[in-house]
């Protein structure tokens, strides 16, 4: 039974590309560039090596740029390390790639990142409270860029995402924009736009940092790729902006929580800096204005079938999140997991409800709407 009831609030976006570009250029981008260098934000806690729940490993990760380098973690803040566990053998056989800096820490310590309540997010497949086999990855040393991951393995993931998890839009999304969304209800549009926006973002990162010449190892931007995969498709550009605004909306809604949270990595000065930057970000008045409202999320899930529809879309997003364990390239999997976790957290902030259909008190407490 189709649980959708059609009203159209997703298309009525509130501000133009120029305003978004201005805000990004003047405020967000410079702040975020600094924030991602601080220890609290540059280390990402993740379970990277899980079996794909849908099909056997197709072993595509053969290129050097594909792998996340696992090395001795001498640069890690002391408080990240458990006593006695932080000295790894000098000749770590896994890391022979000429990158001496630590990128992955296999040890965890409850003293770091304290003050953050770990909650299992119903929108994502990984159990965020399960610390087993979790590692910290230094994102600064594993930039999202071209890795050479392409062909049937990558295509299989995108096909599974679009055909099984955004089914109403799959056959239509290659048609003109007017036809593409057809009668689809706004809630399903949100899911499709988020995934398509994520796809545009991944393609943009590949184009921005591309291996131009393998023999000389020359890297640079690939404008043809950017044009072919993103810019010449109006929908893909729109969806990129939509996803950007969606996450921004979640950040502004969680402003009070982010303001009060502890950014404890064990490096006091750096942690103070992270907090200072976060406060600048969430209190900037320009970010609080209408541009951070891509649609009014309170208008979604209101019809009779609302709760069932929410469950259906939550399950679809969880499936997409589970598919990240099937990505056959470590670095792509790392960034896929990080970005899907970011979207899942935004979905939780904006849409979570308890069993009675009321806004989830945990999320309410957390984000102080
Ligand atoms: P693909 O990007 O694979 O697209 C497949 C089809 O999807 C297209 O033919 C088109 O019909 C449709 N499509 C494309 N873009 C959109 C959009 N925005 N909205 C809607 N539909 C669209 N490669 C790297 O080099 N570095 C990475 O970090 C990386 N990360 C990845 C992360 C994930 C989770 C996945 C699944 C793949 C990743 N890849 C990465 C691979 C990369 O996304 C491409 O699959 C690969 O470069 C091959 O591209 P392609 O031209 O075949 O088209």
């Amino acid at each position: 039974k189709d649980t959708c009831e059609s009203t159209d609030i997703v298309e009525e976006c509130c501000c133009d590309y120029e305003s978004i570009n201005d805000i990004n250029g003047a405020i967000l981008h410079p702040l975020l560039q600094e924030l991602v260098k601080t220890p609290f934000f540059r280390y990402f806690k993740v379970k990277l090596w899980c079996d794909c729940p849908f099909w056997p490993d197709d072993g595509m990760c053969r290129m050097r740029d594909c792998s996340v380098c696992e090395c001795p973690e001498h640069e890690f803040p002391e408080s990240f390390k458990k006593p006695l566990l932080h000295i790894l053998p000098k000749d770590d056989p896994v890391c022979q790639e000429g990158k001496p800096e630590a990128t992955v820490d296999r040890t965890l310590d409850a003293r770091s990142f304290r003050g953050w309540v770990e909650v299992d997010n119903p929108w994502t497949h990984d159990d965020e409270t399960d610390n087993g086999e979790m590692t910290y990855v230094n994102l600064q040393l594993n930039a999202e860029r071209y890795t050479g991951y392409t062909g049937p393995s990558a295509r299989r993931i995108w096909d599974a995402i679009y055909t099984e998890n955004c089914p109403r839009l799959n056959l239509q999304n290659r048609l003109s924009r007017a036809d593409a969304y057809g009668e689809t209800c706004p809630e399903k549009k949100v899911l499709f736009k988020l995934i398509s926006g994520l796809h545009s973002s991944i393609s943009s990162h590949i184009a921005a940092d591309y291996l131009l010449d393998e023999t000389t190892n020359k890297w640079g931007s690939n404008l043809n790729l950017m044009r072919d995969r993103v810019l010449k498709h109006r929908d893909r550009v729109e969806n990129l902006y939509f996803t950007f605004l969606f996450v921004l909306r979640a950040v502004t809604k969680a402003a009070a929580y982010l303001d009060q949270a502890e950014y404890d990595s064990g490096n006091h000065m750096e942690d103070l800096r992270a907090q200072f930057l976060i406060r600048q970000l969430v209190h900037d008045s320009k970010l609080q204005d209408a541009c951070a409202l891509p649609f009014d999320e309170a208008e979604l899930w209101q019809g009779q079938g609302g709760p069932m529809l929410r469950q259906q879309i939550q399950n679809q997003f969880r499936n997409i999140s589970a598919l990240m364990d099937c990505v056959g390239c470590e670095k792509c999997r790392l960034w896929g997991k990080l970005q899907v976790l970011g979207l899942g957290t935004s979905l939780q902030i904006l849409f979570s409800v308890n069993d009675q259909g009321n806004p989830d008190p945990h999320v309410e407490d957390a984000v102080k709407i």
Side-chain angles (χ1 to χ4, degrees), residues 149-161 174:
Y149 181 52
T150 183
S153 173
R155 184 51 75 98
R156 190 177 187 179
I157 311 277
W158 287 121
D159 280 354
I161 289 175
R174 290 173 187 85

Side-chain angles (χ1 to χ4, degrees), residues 262-278:
E262 284 184 57
Y263 298 92
D264 182 9
S265 71
N267 181 330
H268 188 57
M269 291 312 286
E270 292 265 32
D271 295 339
L272 280 178
R273 179 159 172 74
Q275 186 160 51
F276 170 76
L277 291 166
I278 281 281

Side-chain angles (χ1 to χ4, degrees), residues 222-233 236:
N222 183 336
L223 293 178
N224 287 337
L225 194 150
M226 184 68 195
R227 194 184 49 242
D228 289 347
R229 293 202 195 172
V230 183
L231 296 180
K232 75 178 187 196
H233 307 270
R236 296 182 191 178

